[in-house]
Amino acid sequence: MQADENYQHLEYIDAQKVYLTVAEKGFESEELFTKLGNTFYFNAQYDEAAKWYGRIFDLGEEPKNNIVLLRYSQALQAIGQDELAGQFYDSYLTKTGTEKSSKRAIDYLELIEQNSGRYDIKVLEKIYDENKISFGKTILGNNLVYASTQTTQTFENKRSAWDGLSFLSLYEVEINQENEVVGKPSKLKGILKSDYHDSSPVFTADGNTIYFTRSNITSARKNDRNLKIYRSKKVDGKWSKAEELNFNSDLYSSAHPALNADETKLYFSSDRPGGFGESDLYVAQITPEGLIGAPENLGPKVNTSGKETFPFVTDKNELYFSSDGHFGLGGMDVFYIKMNDKEFGNLLNVGAPVNSYADDFAFGIDERTKRGFISSNRTDSTGVFVYDNIYSFIEKTPIVDLYFANIEGYVTDKQTGKPIENATITFKDPDNNLYITLQTDINGYYSTETNKFLVYSIRAEKEDYDTDEKISESNLEHQRIDFQLQKNKEPIIPGTDLAKVLNIPIIHFDFDKSNIRPDAQIEIEKVLAVLNEYPKMRLAIRSHTDSRGSDSYNQALSERRAKSTLEYLVNKGVNRSRLTATGLGESELVNRCSDGVPCSEQEHQQNRRSEFIVLD
């Protein structure tokens, strides 16, 4: 048979080609133009997409699906028609009541309040001094190691240009299990002291390697403003001479190192060129031999146009850091974000009382005991600033991801209802940046975590199916968004129903009549285009009715309508021998809606259908 030969040669019914043929003959309908617009839009052919979407509005009616307004505006913008694009985008927002991103409406203070009160905090009284600087959070054995201007001695009678105090040195003090000071502070033993600032140490788990921040003292331009990161190792129980890391520079600062749990990554702050703001957070790989790789910026989800500094990484790969660029309570606040490989979770302010009106930084926590330290230039009197001092805290309850939401759904074949496995689901954020790409499972199911305050465009696509796209809603913790994809390519084999491939649910006739209406002509023209492309194809035209009315009446009506469809195609040049016409009345219902059964209009419509079955 000819159909079998076509199948062997991989000949297919191509829905896009059919729709284009019908449209170029001058036939017009919203469905026709939407189909063509979508086809070109999803293949990034925005000039053609704009052309066919525009034809919808030439019909003098608004599209039934509001997302057409969004796609048309995006297509117009892509081809440089910004003003017109803006008009249709505004129309989309008006009709859907959707903002591009509801994040603008977030009450950040309310979110901070919801994560506040999770800590009990108190000052380290035995080393507290409003007239001197102390900060740090690093534990070595039973000691807290921190930086302080506690000494009154200065190098060559010089003082720091930052604040006029003596230079920072590393100190250690014994603490108990409640993180209370029980000993007397002393300078960290060894040869780690320099003539300028030394601060923010971090140790490897075995205690034999230290990374810390030091003023630039290795160039001719010695100063206490430009900072570098140094490393020292214990040799025979003593610290060796500290050496600066390879990514340091005399032209900018690198400071405040932190290690991940397995000590393969070094996090730090730097104002090196190419960042997002005053200082950014970076990460560098550490090889088993101790070589430091090239620093990588942590990106815009962490870094801002402001200052990001003092990173701390937990055993669970959670990043805490201080920033004045993200929304906070004042000065620098401490923020939290979960890291998964190169992806990040949602950024959260840890709330009060760790954060305050002042600068709050150098956060560190023991995940087992939930105790830690934070440094701040606050006092008990709100609005009064002093020099930096160290506070201890205990975390009573874990941080809550207030941005967390979930979107899930199923992708199925529009005609068969069967799940579509390995369909690609693409999420894009309000700025059209890729958020995540997923594949449906054997059940056609997908699921992902999202930010509840953002609106996402979600695209479902699969080879040989029309692509579809939907828009999520904001401020919902859970959404189910399903897709029914229309097959657009079908192999030419006996039994194929062109009506399913070409989205022809019914050939419309006026009540109790069998003459072809103008809107029905568009549907039959789709079939004609396929018949013209494959001149040896033979079709069986089958017409069905619903159960309303007598059996004999429905049988006769369906026969007249099938014959009218055949005659239309013959009048268009199709050889009569290629066609058969059969009326089946209500004999092959597709649902429960037989005589006497109460059904909705939509259920009855499922039975009023036309079929165009390939015979050979």
Side-chain angles (χ1 to χ4, degrees):
M1 295 192 306
Q2 179 65 36
D4 287 333
E5 293 178 15
N6 290 340
Y7 180 67
Q8 293 298 324
H9 290 87
L10 299 179
E11 292 188 345
Y12 293 84
I13 301 165
D14 188 331
Q16 179 190 8
K17 188 174 181 179
V18 170
Y19 275 70
L20 194 58
T21 299
V22 173
E24 288 176 343
K25 283 185 176 181
F27 289 93
E28 299 180 331
S29 75
E30 179 183 340
E31 184 243 6
L32 195 66
F33 296 148
T34 300
K35 174 90 172 188
L36 286 170
N38 289 345
T39 299
F40 290 110
Y41 173 84
F42 289 121
N43 286 285
Q45 296 174 272
Y46 296 115
D47 52 347
E48 286 293 310
K51 167 187 169 182
W52 292 110
Y53 285 141
R55 295 286 297 276
I56 298 172
F57 301 93
D58 292 341
L59 298 175
E61 56 189 58
E62 289 289 328
K64 294 183 179 66
N65 193 337
N66 288 323
I67 201 170
V68 170
L69 293 165
L70 177 62
R71 293 174 186 163
Y72 187 31
S73 73
Q74 291 172 337
L76 289 168
Q77 188 173 37
I79 61 175
Q81 297 187 35
D82 295 345
E83 184 175 350
L84 189 58
Q87 294 175 15
F88 280 96
Y89 184 70
D90 290 342
S91 179
Y92 166 75
L93 296 181
T94 299
K95 288 184 176 297
T96 60
T98 304
E99 289 188 34
K100 181 181 180 185
S101 168
S102 64
K103 190 174 182 180
R104 302 168 186 163
I106 294 176
D107 187 339
Y108 285 101
L109 286 175
E110 180 180 341
L111 291 181
I112 294 172
E113 178 64 27
Q114 291 182 59
N115 263 322
S116 293
R118 299 183 300 109
Y119 299 91
D120 285 336
I121 186 170
K122 58 184 178 181
V123 70
L124 288 187
E125 294 181 354
K126 290 187 178 181
I127 61 173
Y128 181 85
D129 190 334
E130 293 185 1
N131 299 310
K132 293 184 175 64
I133 291 175
S134 293
F135 63 88
K137 43 60 172 138
T138 300
I139 298 298
L140 182 63
N142 295 323
N143 289 350
L144 169 68
V145 182
Y146 63 101
S148 178
T149 61
Q150 184 171 334
T151 180
T152 57
Q153 297 176 350
T154 59
F155 172 62
E156 296 179 353
N157 295 319
K158 293 181 180 178
R159 293 182 178 271
S160 171
W162 291 350
D163 44 41
L165 299 177
S166 61
F167 293 105
L168 292 165
S169 298
L170 296 181
Y171 285 80
E172 58 183 344
V173 66
E174 185 181 355
I175 57 171
N176 61 21
Q177 293 183 345
E178 285 72 40
N179 282 359
E180 298 171 332
V181 174
V182 296
K184 184 177 181 180
S186 61
K187 285 189 178 181
L188 193 64
K189 296 180 176 63
I191 57 172
L192 298 178
K193 178 71 177 77
S194 72
D195 294 329
Y196 290 97
H197 289 298
D198 295 297
S199 69
S200 52
V202 60
F203 297 88
T204 54
D206 61 11
N208 291 327
T209 302
I210 181 176
Y211 296 83
F212 63 99
T213 304
R214 171 173 283 177
S215 300
N216 179 7
I217 61 171
T218 58
S219 72
R221 297 183 297 172
K222 293 182 180 180
N223 61 79
D224 68 324
R225 292 186 179 277
N226 194 358
L227 303 175
K228 293 183 175 183
I229 298 176
Y230 288 75
R231 177 171 60 182
S232 176
K233 296 183 178 181
K234 274 188 177 178
V235 178
D236 297 328
K238 296 182 179 180
W239 291 112
S240 62
K241 181 179 180 182
E243 296 181 348
E244 66 171 284
L245 300 188
N246 61 323
F247 55 65
N248 287 328
S249 172
D250 293 336
L251 302 177
Y252 49 78
S253 289
S254 296
H256 313 310
L259 292 168
N260 67 336
D262 61 11
E263 300 170 1
T264 59
K265 294 179 180 179
L266 180 73
Y267 293 84
F268 64 97
S269 177
S270 178
D271 61 357
R272 64 190 56 224
F276 292 86
E278 292 182 52
S279 65
D280 285 11
L281 296 188
Y282 292 81
V283 62
Q285 303 292 325
I286 305 175
T287 70
E289 296 76 26
L291 301 177
I292 308 294
E296 296 181 16
N297 192 293
L298 292 191
K301 197 159 188 178
V302 169
N303 294 314
T304 68
S305 59
K307 181 187 298 182
E308 280 70 49
T309 187
F310 287 96
F312 175 80
V313 182
T314 70
D315 294 345
K316 298 178 181 178
N317 215 30
E318 300 160 313
L319 173 66
Y320 291 87
F321 65 97
S322 290
S323 171
D324 62 7
H326 296 287
F327 193 93
L329 297 177
M332 286 197 300
D333 274 23
V334 177
F335 292 85
Y336 163 99
I337 194 167
K338 177 70 174 177
M339 299 186 293
N340 299 305
D341 295 327
K342 290 190 176 181
E343 295 182 1
F344 292 95
N346 295 313
L347 184 75
L348 305 169
N349 187 299
V350 303
V354 162
N355 289 325
S356 68
Y357 66 89
D359 287 327
D360 307 299
F361 62 100
F363 178 99
I365 188 171
D366 185 325
E367 282 296 321
R368 296 166 301 170
T369 65
K370 299 301 179 182
R371 294 186 179 275
F373 298 93
I374 179 69
S375 300
S376 179
N377 60 351
R378 72 182 82 176
T379 69
D380 291 336
S381 301
T382 300
V384 177
F385 296 88
V386 296
Y387 287 121
D388 305 321
N389 276 279
I390 305 173
Y391 295 74
S392 68
F393 64 78
I394 181 169
E395 184 183 63
K396 298 179 293 184
T397 57
I399 196 165
V400 178
D401 189 346
L402 302 167
Y403 293 82
F404 172 81
N406 170 263
I407 296 178
E408 63 176 354
Y410 290 85
V411 182
T412 56
D413 185 297
K414 185 175 183 179
Q415 271 70 45
T416 67
K418 293 181 178 179
I420 300 177
E421 184 180 3
N422 290 326
T424 299
I425 308 296
T426 304
F427 281 68
K428 290 192 175 181
D429 68 16
D431 297 317
N432 208 34
N433 297 315
L434 177 65
Y435 174 70
I436 195 171
T437 299
L438 309 168
Q439 301 293 128
T440 55
D441 64 15
I442 191 172
N443 298 311
Y445 177 75
Y446 74 92
S447 176
T448 188
E449 295 180 6
T450 56
N451 184 325
K452 75 180 273 191
F453 297 104
L454 296 185
V455 174
Y456 296 89
S457 60
I458 309 168
R459 180 177 297 185
E461 50 194 333
K462 175 75 172 180
E463 187 177 3
D464 295 340
Y465 285 86
D466 285 347
T467 300
D468 195 11
E469 189 173 60
K470 296 183 178 180
I471 305 298
S472 71
E473 295 184 49
S474 62
N475 293 303
L476 295 177
E477 293 184 3
H478 176 264
Q479 295 177 71
R480 175 168 168 173
I481 299 178
D482 295 332
F483 292 89
Q484 291 182 309
L485 299 188
Q486 169 78 38
K487 203 159 191 181
N488 59 29
K489 277 190 177 182
E490 192 75 39
I492 301 175
I493 56 175
T496 298
D497 184 0
L498 299 188
K500 292 181 178 180
V501 184
L502 302 176
N503 195 31
I504 307 173
I506 183 173
I507 300 296
H508 291 281
F509 297 85
D510 288 328
F511 177 71
D512 201 29
K513 294 182 180 180
S514 57
N515 57 300
I516 304 297
R517 293 182 1 184
D519 56 344
Q521 291 181 26
I522 296 175
E523 306 301 332
I524 303 176
E525 283 290 331
K526 297 176 187 178
V527 178
L528 178 62
V530 176
L531 289 168
N532 287 339
E533 184 174 0
Y534 300 101
K536 295 185 179 180
M537 179 185 289
R538 294 179 61 245
L539 285 182
I541 302 167
R542 297 154 56 99
S543 179
H544 302 263
T545 68
D546 61 41
S547 63
R548 292 174 293 185
S550 69
D551 292 357
S552 59
Y553 171 82
N554 285 334
Q555 179 64 35
L557 179 62
S558 66
E559 289 175 357
R560 293 198 307 272
R561 289 177 171 178
K563 185 177 178 181
S564 292
T565 303
L566 182 149
E567 293 299 332
Y568 181 92
L569 291 170
V570 169
N571 290 334
K572 289 290 185 175
V574 178
N575 193 303
R576 189 180 297 272
S577 64
R578 299 173 61 192
L579 305 171
T580 65
T582 304
L584 295 168
E586 57 181 282
S587 64
E588 294 186 3
L589 301 177
V590 296
N591 56 27
R592 62 185 180 86
C593 299
S594 58
D595 290 338
V597 176
C599 288
S600 66
E601 179 59 33
Q602 185 177 8
E603 289 175 311
H604 282 303
Q605 186 172 318
Q606 293 173 7
N607 291 311
R608 298 195 307 273
R609 66 196 189 279
S610 301
E611 297 174 329
F612 299 87
I613 309 298
V614 174
L615 297 174
D616 55 50

